[in-house]
């Protein structure tokens, strides 16, 4: 899903409209920017990762089981060069077996037990972006107010933190403008111990998340 900042700039002020007038404590201000930028993210295979049928005998009884890693191609295409970041929203919120912004749920079994979790990992080494000769990742936990030191290390895409891209190593200046970005992301899925699940009938893995583009 594309996230386009929608906005009006409106002020409801009491009194005379003058540049020197202080904002009243009971004023309502609605601010924002309508941007012509449009970036479209797409996953290969329509974003579907299908593990097929998993036998309970292939899962651990008393500890979590990590399934095989799966990869998807991620492409982001913008109509013009733009500064943007990524985050992801869990459509199965509350069903992950670990409460963290980098883990997303696989829904629950027939008795309401949480089936597992998954994470989606971005790797700069598997990423190209024009016009950048090299891609480094940088992230922000403050909605773009401050950025981590850019690096070449892999990172999971988070629900609240922003993931941005730059061509400068060791920079805290945040993302640079990009028009097209292509990456191969890795999905890591983990199943809860079978002793915590109701397997009297099929337990359906039903993870769903929405990747969002945040314009900066």
């Amino acid at each position: 899903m594309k996230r386009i900042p929608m906005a009006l700039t409106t002020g409801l002020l009491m009194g005379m409209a003058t540049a020197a007038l202080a904002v009243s404590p009971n004023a309502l201000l609605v601010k924002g920017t309508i941007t012509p930028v449009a970036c479209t993210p797409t996953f290969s295979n329509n974003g579907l990762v299908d593990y097929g049928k998993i036998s309970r005998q292939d899962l651990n009884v008393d500890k979590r089981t990590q399934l095989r890693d799966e990869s998807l191609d991620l492409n982001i295409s913008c109509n013009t060069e733009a500064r943007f970041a990524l985050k992801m929203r869990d459509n199965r919120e509350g069903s992950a077996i670990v409460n963290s912004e980098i883990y997303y749920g696989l829904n629950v079994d027939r008795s309401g037990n949480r089936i597992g979790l998954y994470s989606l990992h971005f790797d700069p080494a598997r990423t190209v972006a024009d016009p950048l000769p090299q891609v480094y990742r940088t992230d922000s936990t403050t909605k773009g107010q401050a950025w981590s030191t850019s690096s070449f290390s892999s990172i999971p895409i988070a629900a609240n933190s922003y993931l941005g891209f730059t061509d400068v190593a060791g920079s805290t200046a945040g993302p640079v403008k990009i028009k097209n970005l292509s990456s191969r992301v890795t999905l890591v899925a983990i199943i809860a111990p079978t002793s915590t699940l109701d397997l009297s009938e099929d337990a359906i893995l039903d993870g769903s998340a929405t990747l969002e583009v945040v314009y900066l």
Side-chain angles (χ1 to χ4, degrees):
M1 141 177 193
K2 295 180 289 185
R3 181 178 174 180
I4 303 176
M6 269 177 49
L8 347 158
T9 300
T10 306
L12 304 180
L13 304 178
M14 302 296 293
M16 295 192 315
T18 168
L21 184 64
V23 176
S24 169
N26 63 344
L28 170 64
L29 301 178
V30 182
K31 297 183 177 181
T33 302
I34 298 176
T35 175
V37 175
C39 297
T40 302
T42 56
F43 284 111
S44 60
N45 200 36
N46 294 316
L48 174 64
V49 174
D50 188 355
Y51 282 99
K53 286 191 175 292
I54 304 166
S55 171
R56 68 180 299 166
Q57 70 181 16
D58 295 329
L59 303 174
N60 296 309
V61 174
D62 56 356
K63 63 181 180 179
R64 298 167 184 163
T65 304
Q66 181 173 328
L67 304 181
R68 68 179 183 274
D69 291 353
E70 294 284 351
S71 295
L72 289 170
D73 293 326
L74 168 63
N75 295 290
I76 299 173
S77 177
C78 304
N79 63 341
T80 187
E81 289 187 350
R83 294 179 70 245
F84 63 84
L86 303 178
K87 66 175 186 174
M88 201 155 69
R89 174 169 50 84
D90 192 357
N91 300 326
R92 302 289 183 262
E93 189 173 0
S95 71
I97 56 175
V98 174
N99 183 20
S100 169
E101 69 163 332
I102 65 170
Y103 296 130
Y104 305 90
L106 292 172
N107 219 337
V108 296
D109 64 20
R110 65 189 298 271
S111 297
N113 302 306
R114 300 174 186 182
I115 296 174
L117 59 79
Y118 65 96
S119 54
L120 189 67
H121 297 255
F122 170 84
D123 186 353
R126 307 176 79 185
T127 304
V128 294
D130 61 2
L132 310 186
Q134 181 64 64
V135 177
Y136 299 92
R137 61 92 170 170
T138 180
D139 54 285
S140 174
T141 59
T142 58
K143 299 186 182 299
Q145 297 300 309
W147 293 88
S148 69
T149 301
S150 59
S151 75
F152 204 56
S153 60
S154 177
I155 189 174
I157 301 176
N160 300 312
S161 301
Y162 290 178
L163 171 62
F165 316 97
T166 180
D167 59 342
V168 182
S171 171
T172 58
V176 297
K177 290 185 176 181
I178 294 173
K179 186 173 182 181
N180 296 291
L181 180 144
S182 297
S183 185
R184 194 154 179 82
V185 293
T186 302
L187 186 140
V188 178
I190 294 174
I191 304 300
T194 58
S195 60
T196 67
L197 299 176
D198 181 352
L199 297 179
S200 58
E201 60 181 49
D202 289 350
I204 307 300
L205 276 61
D206 186 26
S208 173
T210 301
L211 186 71
E212 297 184 354
V213 177
V214 181
Y215 302 113
L216 304 171

